[in-house]
Amino acid sequence: MRKLIEFIRSVYAAVLFVVLEALAVSYYAHSTHYTQARLLARSNQLAGGVHGLMAGVHRYFTLGSENRVLLDRVAQLEERLARYEEVVAASRLDSCLQGIGESKYRFAVASVVANSINRQQNLITLNRGLRDGVQPEMALLSPAGAMVGYVVDCSDRYAVAMSVLNTSFRASGRLAGSDYFGSIYWDGVDPHVVVLGELSKYADPQPGDEVVTTGFSQYFPEDVLIGEVESAELNETRTAYTVRVRLAAEMSRLTDVVLVGNRDLYEIRELQQSEQIEQHTRLK
């Protein structure tokens, strides 16, 4: 019974306190115009804060849908940009072919879709294939005309080329302005440097000398730039030089290539494999 009386008293005291506080606030609010203005400003500030909080909560719960809309928009813009860049790249590469007259070589252009430089057997994938006139054994040059590699296989829409940075790559090269030539290959060490081996001891290669193709290769036309002599040393028997050649093509930044095909290649090969040639070979 005593606890009930104490509870009623505490409730009565609380109600009385709230009533007195309300009367005091009401009296204060209506005492002057200044106090009315301050209370109105405070109430508006409080109401604005509550509304801002609710708006923030609403935005938080709608972020997921907004992000999906933004991602869809980004994907659309990326697709448009990719189409635009492809058109620009094709236009830029086509300009490389202007002014090239009819010759035994035919030219095409392509963009690089995959390229590696950190393996022993590096390959380059192109976005052009058989339907675009690309065929195996076509040479790959950089837009500036430097050696890059040669095509080894094609599908209808794509081609795969052996990079000059491939330990199976072979071509012939010589010092520019001379008749001394040797074999070009990559030793798998430096992605910026290839080797010109078996160069005559009379060649006297010097740092900075240009190295170009000989034209003996079935892939590359004559005088395609390979790079510059970085260093040279005679072999143990002092009969030939081994020359390290810094590549002219920046293989790590390769985005576009020019393809060169020899129109006479298959005719020459067919002739070399003819029965008459085989007969003369057997007679010897």
Side-chain angles (χ1 to χ4, degrees):
M1 186 66 178
R2 180 180 298 173
K3 291 182 179 181
L4 179 60
I5 293 173
E6 291 178 356
F7 175 75
I8 293 172
R9 286 178 178 175
S10 62
V11 171
Y12 175 77
V15 171
L16 181 60
F17 175 78
V18 171
V19 171
L20 292 175
E21 283 292 324
L23 290 174
V25 170
S26 177
Y27 175 78
Y28 176 76
H30 292 83
S31 59
T32 64
H33 294 293
Y34 173 74
T35 55
Q36 291 180 12
R38 287 194 62 187
L39 285 176
L40 181 61
R42 293 291 184 181
S43 64
N44 288 339
Q45 184 178 2
L46 179 61
V50 172
H51 286 301
L53 178 62
M54 296 302 294
V57 171
H58 176 73
R59 283 196 300 270
Y60 175 79
F61 284 107
T62 58
L63 281 178
S65 60
E66 290 179 359
N67 282 340
R68 284 192 293 273
V69 172
L70 288 175
L71 288 175
D72 289 340
R73 182 61 176 166
V74 168
Q76 293 174 8
L77 292 175
E78 288 288 346
E79 185 175 352
R80 292 181 183 178
L81 179 60
R83 290 199 296 266
Y84 171 76
E85 289 178 343
E86 185 174 352
V87 170
V88 170
S91 176
R92 182 176 66 252
L93 289 172
D94 288 340
S95 67
C96 295
L97 305 184
Q98 294 179 359
I100 297 177
E102 183 69 21
S103 70
K104 72 174 184 178
Y105 296 104
R106 59 188 181 85
F107 298 84
V109 293
S111 293
V112 175
V113 298
N115 180 28
S116 63
I117 62 170
N118 57 357
R119 304 171 185 170
Q120 296 294 297
Q121 305 290 324
N122 293 295
L123 300 173
I124 303 170
T125 304
L126 309 175
N127 70 339
R128 300 287 174 89
L130 294 172
R131 72 179 187 182
D132 305 299
V134 178
Q135 293 181 338
E137 301 183 332
M138 293 184 76
L140 261 68
L141 310 181
S142 72
M147 174 188 283
V148 169
Y150 53 79
V151 177
V152 293
D153 199 8
C154 297
S155 66
D156 285 341
R157 298 191 300 132
Y158 293 95
V160 174
M162 180 183 294
S163 169
V164 67
L165 301 180
N166 188 309
T167 53
S168 297
F169 179 91
R170 292 294 183 274
S172 59
R174 63 179 175 84
L175 295 179
S178 78
D179 296 327
Y180 296 111
F181 64 90
S183 176
I184 292 289
Y185 64 92
W186 186 52
D187 59 5
V189 177
D190 188 338
H192 303 286
V193 176
V194 295
V195 177
L196 173 61
E198 303 173 0
L199 183 67
S200 170
K201 65 179 181 179
Y202 302 107
D204 190 28
Q206 297 295 320
D209 287 350
E210 286 191 348
V211 177
V212 297
T213 57
T214 61
F216 300 156
S217 169
Q218 61 183 340
Y219 305 114
F220 297 96
E222 187 177 4
D223 290 329
V224 169
L225 180 62
I226 300 173
E228 293 184 350
V229 173
E230 187 174 76
S231 63
E233 60 180 8
L234 286 168
N235 58 16
E236 294 180 356
T237 59
R238 304 189 67 80
T239 58
Y241 279 101
T242 298
V243 182
R244 297 189 67 79
V245 180
R246 179 159 291 271
L247 288 170
E250 183 57 69
M251 300 298 293
S252 62
R253 298 181 180 178
L254 196 64
T255 57
D256 306 308
V257 294
V258 176
L259 296 106
V260 185
N262 188 343
R263 299 179 191 273
D264 301 335
L265 176 62
Y266 295 105
E267 181 179 347
I268 294 172
R269 184 169 297 167
E270 184 178 352
L271 179 61
Q272 291 172 340
Q273 296 173 353
S274 67
E275 293 183 3
Q276 288 84 351
I277 299 297
E278 291 181 0
Q279 288 175 0
H280 284 283
T281 303
R282 286 195 296 268
L283 288 176
K284 292 181 179 181

